[in-house]
Amino acid sequence: MDPIEIVKRIKNKFPDEVLWFRCFREECDITVKKDKIREILTYLKNTPTLDFNYLIDLTAVDYLGFREPRFDVVYHLMSIKYRHRLRIKAQVPEQACCISSICDIWNTAEWFERECFDMFGIEFTGHPDLRRILMPEDWDGFPLRKDYPVFSDLADKEWSTFKELKEKAKQWKGNED
Amino acid sequence: MKTDTTRELLINMGPQHPATHGVLRLVLEVEGEIIKKCTPYIGYLHRGVEKLAEDLTYVQALPLTDRLDYLSSIINNVGFCLAVEKLMGINVPERAKFIRTMMSEMARICSHLVWIATHALDIGAMTVFLYAMRDREKLLEMFEMVTGARLTVSYPRIGGVRCDINDKFLEELDKFIEEFPSKVEEYETLIDRNRVWLKRTIGVGVITAEEAINWGLTGPTLRGSGVYYDVRKFFPYDAYDKVDFEVPIGKNGDVYDRYKCRMLEFRQSAKIIKQCIEKLPTGPILAEESPRIRMPSSPLKINKEDIQFEIYNDDKNAEDFIKKFTEVYASVEAPRGELGFYIVCDDSAKPYRMRVRAPSFVHAGVLPKLCEGSLIADVIANIGSIDIVLGECDR
Amino acid sequence: MMETFYIILITILKTALYFGVLMLHVAYATYAERKVIGHIQLRLGPMVVGPHGLLQPIADVIKLIFKEDIIPSNVDKKIFTIAPLISLTAALSTFAVIPVTDKWFIADINVGILYVLGILGVGTYGIIFAGWSSNSKYAFLGGLRSAAQMISYEVALAMSIVGVIIMAESFNLTEIVNRQAQYPLGMFLFPQIIGYFVFIVAMLAETNRVPFDLPEAETELVAGYFVEYSGIRFSLFYLAEYLAMFCMSALATICFWGGWTIPPFLLKIFPFLSIVPGVVWFLLKVYFHMFLFFWFRGTLPRYRYDQLMAIGWKVLIPLALFNIILTSLIKYYS
């Protein structure tokens, strides 16, 4: 199906939600408001003529300084039957940095959302087990945010747990003597 | 007062364990030998490739992708290059396309050889390991002939490949491909008709087609469940639409079917390479507009006329925003599944955001589903059959 | 008085000789294993120490002796230290009754077979103790697996020999060998082919070898019950395992392959073979069985725990029982 037609159908179904769409190199992305993201995705998955049964990817992009709301949560959908792909982007502001989880629609979203939370600090409400996944559990900050320090003085600081561990090791060594 | 309580035995498998293929850590809650709960922990190999790429130019970011799935680095490079080529609108010369396809399939054979080696070793058949390594060595030597490196080759370039292949290489490759199917048969005689192997794999770690799609599995792991999905066929890239090959499909979605799918892929890969050698056209190997490493700071030239958009709200900045950020998603069929690169470009020479959709990451997530209720020995078989590489999983 | 002293002295000397020869055998069994598997796997095996790596076992022994003996904290120290000794002692004691020729043995007792089976069972304690005292979950699971496996397969092992005992009408190992002369090819192998099959399978399981090496499954339990051991204690377990393999091979040789006797048909074709001493035949047969162990290791994957149990109880034991009934019926009516 022509991607523009898919966009039109979504637009007709959710007239207030769609903010804009864009086509570039035969790829279409639709930017929507975050509130009804579950409904939109469920609609896309369950409509037989669209049949987006496959969630390829879920991630986020940080547009700090370029746009308000700051984040986009990006969903890549695909239909195995019709062989088409679609990108849905939901805008998430920095304040109230949350969006509803879609774990129950696609199981695969569970880890993607955890990663997204780990890297961007976006909270997925309704996620059964929202923990850090790639970074250590007690890590400060969200690495893939654009304001995460890369070259700053913070980089020289020691990771607090490592410091504690070194202290402990010293104590332990002291006890042994 | 002490009361008698019973509790499950917690087994910490990994990150240092001979069968977790790197640094995967599984916490198993077992009752006897039966697994009640399995929790995977990943991230021990997290290097922040996505963050690193934001500070490098597109050309410089290419070697980072080698380190994702180090067993098939060329396919990773190709995936990244495809995304950037799509973004910049570069047309790759035909010869380069065929060379890439050929090398990709060589990498797939390489990667599958490591898979069969370790999978069989995990289940206890030691000998297959060395048989597979013998043949992998030949392929690695051929990689070395062309690229100068054996594992992390960084051979493709944005818009083509780095250097041309010569006749000696083609001769060697042809010889290898001639005898490779008989080598595959050799592995199969060792394990495929072995009663112990069949007992350990048939009916173990079953995942149905619907579940597999729901869990986002790709590659042979998905096809083992009987779902026909292959990026090479669905969204052809490079020269895959010009060669003839089949996509093997399983039925039951157990460890054996996944094993069988990969074994059949060996033969299909050999077939593709053979066709590539025959059809290899002459001509340039690198596109004219390919970005060179000496010009790191020149911004990308993206024709803004290509962007087609429609705005449905009254946001005044929206148009500027849409025109500033262009984005593409390109994927390749890596040996493990769909490897996708999602790149957001802000017109500078560096990617604004590079996202790697790693099949291993998704597959590691399905482990609890596969393992719960089975025995400890099945965990090992399952890890082997989903074939994860932690470098790609943790990025 | 003098005579008793003489007997004791002879026994001690014999034991020392047995011990020395056995140690040498174990050392070179590791070498042979590495070589055999190496060649199966398109490798050469050890090649560096000595010509064709012949001195490798000696280098290994020296390394193991001088390695630091690590005892992890929180282990049950007494049991931890005693466990390898139990395993080793059990494995060594079996050789007291195993006759190499009709004149060469340390003790010729009337219930030789029962003694061997009983003592081998004791070895299991060493493994369970090691698994329990190590305070490690992997070792613990390995120990438990081993206990279950040994108990199940000991039944099958003992039952597979009952047929031999019925035919030989004796528990004495020397007597069993002598009785085989009247049978075709001078061995119990063909009349007792079912028993031999059950014995071979149970023998692999009893010694924790591939495809039944679950207690030490490398890829699942890292190393199983001896995961926490190192240095000399580790090598004691290793020693015990190889001694048990030799013991099983010797038992198979004696019970099914006619021990030190030469197959009569061979003697008919090549009469000069009679000058070859019996001990050579005995060793050749033992080496063949040892080769079987290595061969299986090079080719077979590993069974799963529940499948192992199913084979033991649902296949081997009924088969052994059928064999016993068949043998007794034939014995009764002929």
Side-chain angles (χ1 to χ4, degrees):
Chain A
M1 195 188 285
D2 185 40
I4 310 243
E5 203 173 310
I6 299 171
V7 177
K8 290 270 155 26
R9 288 185 63 170
I10 299 170
K11 172 77 185 148
N12 289 339
K13 180 86 182 163
F14 302 96
D16 299 336
E17 297 297 316
V18 181
L19 293 171
W20 63 73
F21 87 89
R22 162 172 58 183
C23 275
F24 178 65
R25 309 260 190 250
E26 287 134 30
E27 281 179 32
C28 259
D29 51 72
I30 309 169
T31 307
V32 297
K33 290 177 191 160
K34 70 168 188 176
D35 308 319
K36 282 201 178 158
I37 188 70
R38 276 180 65 89
E39 284 80 352
I40 295 170
L41 292 175
T42 320
Y43 167 74
L44 286 171
K45 187 186 180 189
N46 294 340
T47 310
T49 47
L50 297 174
D51 198 36
F52 281 102
N53 58 351
Y54 200 105
L55 177 74
I56 305 175
D57 195 10
L58 189 163
T59 185
V61 183
D62 180 7
Y63 292 111
L64 179 71
F66 290 104
R67 196 192 72 191
E68 196 61 44
R70 180 177 166 184
F71 298 107
D72 260 355
V73 174
V74 186
Y75 303 86
H76 281 92
L77 302 182
M78 185 187 66
S79 159
I80 287 187
K81 198 167 159 197
Y82 299 111
R83 303 193 179 188
H84 51 208
R85 284 173 180 160
L86 184 68
R87 183 157 54 232
I88 308 276
K89 299 164 65 166
Q91 296 191 336
V92 178
E94 192 174 357
Q95 262 67 46
C97 195
C98 63
I99 187 167
S100 32
S101 162
I102 54 158
C103 280
D104 44 343
I105 307 175
W106 283 288
N107 286 336
T108 177
E110 198 178 319
W111 273 34
F112 281 142
E113 285 178 355
R114 271 179 73 185
E115 194 199 351
C116 210
F117 165 73
D118 191 1
M119 292 296 158
F120 290 93
I122 297 167
E123 214 162 293
F124 289 85
T125 47
H127 190 285
D129 184 25
L130 200 62
R131 285 178 290 130
R132 284 193 180 269
I133 186 164
L134 292 176
M135 307 302 285
E137 276 163 37
D138 52 349
W139 193 262
D140 276 338
F142 302 103
L144 278 183
R145 284 190 176 189
K146 285 284 172 187
D147 53 1
Y148 186 80
V150 185
F151 296 112
S152 76
D153 52 323
L154 263 175
D156 301 331
K157 268 195 181 172
E158 255 175 31
W159 175 30
S160 60
T161 313
F162 184 57
K163 226 189 238 168
E164 272 170 40
L165 214 67
K166 277 210 303 200
E167 282 302 311
K168 251 189 208 165
K170 254 184 221 159
Q171 272 177 16
W172 188 63
K173 232 181 177 178
N175 289 342
E176 208 179 32
D177 292 338
Chain B
M1 200 186 102
K2 250 178 126 183
T3 48
D4 286 341
T5 50
T6 56
R7 62 192 168 98
E8 281 82 20
L9 185 68
L10 273 181
I11 294 187
N12 185 25
M13 198 179 252
Q16 298 287 329
H17 188 279
T20 52
H21 293 208
V23 286
L24 174 67
R25 176 176 163 223
L26 296 172
V27 175
L28 305 172
E29 229 170 72
V30 293
E31 206 180 275
E33 289 252 340
I34 296 167
I35 288 151
K36 290 282 153 198
K37 202 174 162 218
C38 162
T39 324
Y41 289 85
I42 59 168
Y44 291 91
L45 210 60
H46 180 59
R47 293 147 298 175
V49 166
E50 293 176 9
K51 186 79 178 171
L52 282 171
E54 289 175 9
D55 266 312
L56 297 169
T57 63
Y58 288 99
V59 181
Q60 287 168 335
L62 180 72
L64 285 183
T65 57
D66 279 317
R67 276 82 187 160
L68 292 172
D69 176 2
Y70 37 79
L71 295 178
S72 60
S73 52
I74 280 196
I75 299 184
N76 293 257
N77 297 153
V78 169
F80 177 75
C81 290
L82 282 174
V84 181
E85 282 154 12
K86 199 169 177 184
L87 187 71
M88 300 171 70
I90 297 175
N91 282 320
V92 182
E94 278 299 292
R95 186 176 171 86
K97 278 187 177 178
F98 272 93
I99 294 174
R100 275 189 191 181
T101 310
M102 194 159 75
M103 293 294 231
S104 293
E105 290 309 310
M106 279 166 70
R108 190 184 314 281
I109 291 178
C110 251
S111 168
H112 279 3
L113 281 174
V114 176
W115 158 78
I116 183 68
T118 50
H119 187 35
L121 187 69
D122 287 349
I123 293 185
M126 291 162 70
T127 305
V128 187
F129 185 88
L130 285 126
Y131 277 48
M133 286 298 156
R134 169 196 63 187
D135 298 329
R136 180 168 178 257
E137 187 61 29
K138 287 180 194 152
L139 277 173
L140 291 182
E141 265 165 24
M142 273 183 258
F143 277 135
E144 200 179 353
M145 258 169 94
V146 178
T147 67
R150 287 159 61 88
L151 208 62
T152 51
V153 292
S154 292
Y155 176 61
R157 285 287 176 274
I158 298 159
V161 291
R162 191 177 78 215
C163 48
D164 210 344
I165 51 176
N166 55 18
D167 291 342
K168 189 161 173 279
F169 167 78
L170 284 177
E171 227 169 78
E172 290 257 314
L173 186 61
D174 200 44
K175 217 170 78 194
F176 177 81
I177 289 307
E178 272 311 310
E179 60 189 26
F180 185 63
S182 69
K183 297 281 170 61
V184 178
E185 265 162 43
E186 223 173 79
Y187 315 141
E188 283 184 340
T189 50
L190 271 170
I191 46 182
D192 204 23
R193 265 161 287 166
N194 191 323
R195 218 182 121 80
V196 188
W197 178 270
L198 297 181
K199 273 203 150 187
R200 282 296 301 277
T201 52
I202 290 179
V204 173
V206 179
I207 187 155
T208 61
E210 290 87 57
E211 282 171 336
I213 291 173
N214 202 4
W215 278 99
L217 304 184
T218 42
T221 317
L222 174 72
R223 293 195 283 273
S225 298
V227 182
Y228 180 75
Y229 171 56
D230 188 318
V231 184
R232 292 174 293 177
K233 286 280 188 196
F234 273 51
F235 308 101
Y237 56 95
D238 284 350
Y240 281 110
D241 48 351
K242 297 181 191 75
V243 290
D244 171 43
F245 66 100
E246 282 155 34
V247 179
I249 299 281
K251 213 168 93 191
N252 306 321
D254 53 9
V255 174
Y256 181 75
D257 276 22
R258 294 196 276 273
Y259 151 80
K260 205 74 205 161
C261 272
R262 290 201 176 90
M263 286 315 257
L264 292 170
E265 273 186 14
F266 272 135
R267 301 187 166 95
Q268 294 302 327
S269 293
K271 204 169 140 190
I272 296 173
I273 295 177
K274 212 171 164 61
Q275 291 176 49
C276 282
I277 297 174
E278 280 161 12
K279 293 181 181 169
L280 191 68
T282 50
I285 50 160
L286 202 58
E288 278 298 307
E289 57 271 54
S290 162
R292 299 305 152 102
I293 207 153
R294 288 201 202 92
M295 306 182 273
S297 52
S298 65
L300 288 189
K301 289 184 212 91
I302 291 167
N303 191 357
K304 297 295 174 189
E305 301 299 309
D306 292 348
I307 306 171
Q308 185 188 356
F309 61 93
E310 231 168 273
I311 302 170
Y312 298 116
N313 63 346
D314 47 1
D315 189 353
K316 287 175 209 79
N317 299 327
E319 193 179 329
D320 292 343
F321 177 79
I322 290 168
K323 283 197 168 170
K324 183 164 174 59
F325 291 97
T326 42
E327 47 199 73
V328 287
Y329 175 85
S331 62
V332 286
E333 180 74 16
R336 276 147 201 89
E338 175 170 351
L339 176 76
F341 284 87
Y342 169 59
I343 293 180
V344 181
C345 166
D346 64 345
D347 287 349
S348 73
K350 298 171 181 175
Y352 185 76
R353 165 107 170 89
M354 183 184 93
R355 156 79 180 165
V356 184
R357 189 262 183 217
S360 295
F361 180 79
V362 182
H363 292 178
V366 81
L367 265 177
K369 160 95 187 65
L370 292 175
C371 293
E372 271 157 32
S374 60
L375 296 155
I376 293 178
D378 292 337
V379 177
I380 306 302
N382 279 326
I383 296 175
S385 82
I386 59 169
D387 189 22
I388 49 176
V389 164
L390 271 294
E392 184 185 61
C393 182
D394 297 346
R395 280 153 294 163
Chain C
M1 186 60 206
M2 227 13 226
E3 207 158 277
T4 328
F5 177 73
Y6 182 67
I7 290 171
I8 290 172
L9 191 73
I10 286 287
T11 313
I12 289 174
L13 282 177
K14 264 187 179 174
T15 313
L17 185 68
Y18 252 72
F19 186 76
V21 171
L22 271 174
M23 288 302 119
L24 212 64
H25 265 86
V26 168
Y28 277 89
T30 60
Y31 173 77
E33 172 161 29
R34 289 168 69 178
K35 275 284 182 197
V36 168
I37 292 179
H39 282 277
I40 288 176
Q41 297 173 342
L42 319 165
R43 305 181 278 125
L44 292 171
M47 283 298 277
V48 177
V49 190
H52 280 266
L54 267 171
L55 297 178
Q56 185 69 45
I58 293 162
D60 284 346
V61 168
I62 292 171
K63 183 202 79 174
L64 281 168
I65 289 173
F66 286 104
K67 235 173 144 180
E68 190 190 350
D69 175 30
I70 299 164
I71 298 180
S73 54
N74 294 333
V75 298
D76 193 330
K77 224 170 175 174
K78 270 184 207 152
I79 301 179
F80 188 80
T81 42
I82 218 170
L85 296 176
I86 293 176
S87 274
L88 181 67
T89 316
L92 268 177
S93 316
T94 49
F95 287 93
V97 295
I98 286 178
V100 177
T101 67
D102 44 357
K103 289 175 199 72
W104 250 104
F105 40 74
I106 295 175
D108 184 23
I109 58 174
N110 281 332
V111 287
I113 276 195
L114 291 184
Y115 171 83
V116 170
L117 291 176
I119 288 286
L120 271 177
V122 175
T124 321
Y125 284 104
I127 292 174
I128 298 173
F129 285 170
W132 176 258
S133 67
S134 290
N135 192 28
S136 155
K137 284 161 184 170
Y138 285 110
F140 177 58
L141 270 178
L144 284 188
R145 276 183 178 191
S146 163
Q149 178 178 333
M150 293 255 191
I151 289 166
S152 323
Y153 277 78
E154 218 146 82
V155 181
L157 188 78
M159 280 184 171
S160 68
I161 303 184
V162 171
V164 172
I165 296 169
I166 292 171
M167 290 180 84
E169 295 167 0
S170 169
F171 284 116
N172 184 308
L173 291 166
T174 320
E175 187 62 25
I176 288 173
V177 174
N178 291 337
R179 281 298 179 98
Q180 297 187 33
Q182 5 167 330
Y183 286 91
L185 301 183
M187 17 178 123
F188 279 150
L189 180 61
F190 293 101
Q192 284 295 324
I193 192 79
I194 303 172
Y196 181 63
F197 170 73
V198 176
F199 184 89
I200 289 287
V201 178
M203 147 181 121
L204 291 170
E206 272 289 294
T207 47
N208 298 333
R209 296 289 297 189
V210 173
F212 304 110
D213 61 337
L214 298 156
E216 50 200 79
E218 192 191 324
T219 46
E220 294 157 29
L221 302 181
V222 190
Y225 57 87
F226 55 64
V227 67
E228 302 292 345
Y229 283 86
S230 63
I232 189 74
R233 281 179 224 286
F234 167 79
S235 58
L236 290 186
F237 273 120
Y238 220 71
L239 208 62
E241 187 182 321
Y242 277 81
L243 281 174
M245 279 160 66
F246 269 113
C247 172
M248 285 294 172
S249 304
L251 212 56
T253 307
I254 289 168
C255 292
F256 297 99
W257 283 64
W260 52 85
T261 55
I262 314 160
F265 77 96
L266 261 184
L267 211 53
K268 241 178 237 163
I269 308 169
F270 308 108
F272 59 87
L273 281 179
S274 58
I275 56 162
V276 179
V279 62
V280 173
W281 289 111
F282 181 80
L283 285 179
L284 277 180
K285 289 167 184 174
V286 169
Y287 293 162
F288 169 74
H289 284 96
M290 289 301 283
F291 177 72
L292 279 187
F293 279 111
F294 306 150
W295 190 11
F296 290 143
R297 183 156 174 227
T299 27
L300 291 179
R302 183 181 306 118
Y303 266 113
R304 209 172 58 198
Y305 179 70
D306 56 330
Q307 292 163 350
L308 167 104
M309 285 299 165
I311 293 168
W313 291 100
K314 290 183 191 158
V315 181
L316 291 186
I317 291 178
L319 215 62
L321 280 173
F322 171 73
N323 183 45
I324 293 172
I325 293 166
L326 200 72
T327 314
S328 8
L329 283 178
I330 292 171
K331 185 92 185 162
Y332 183 76
Y333 285 109
S334 59

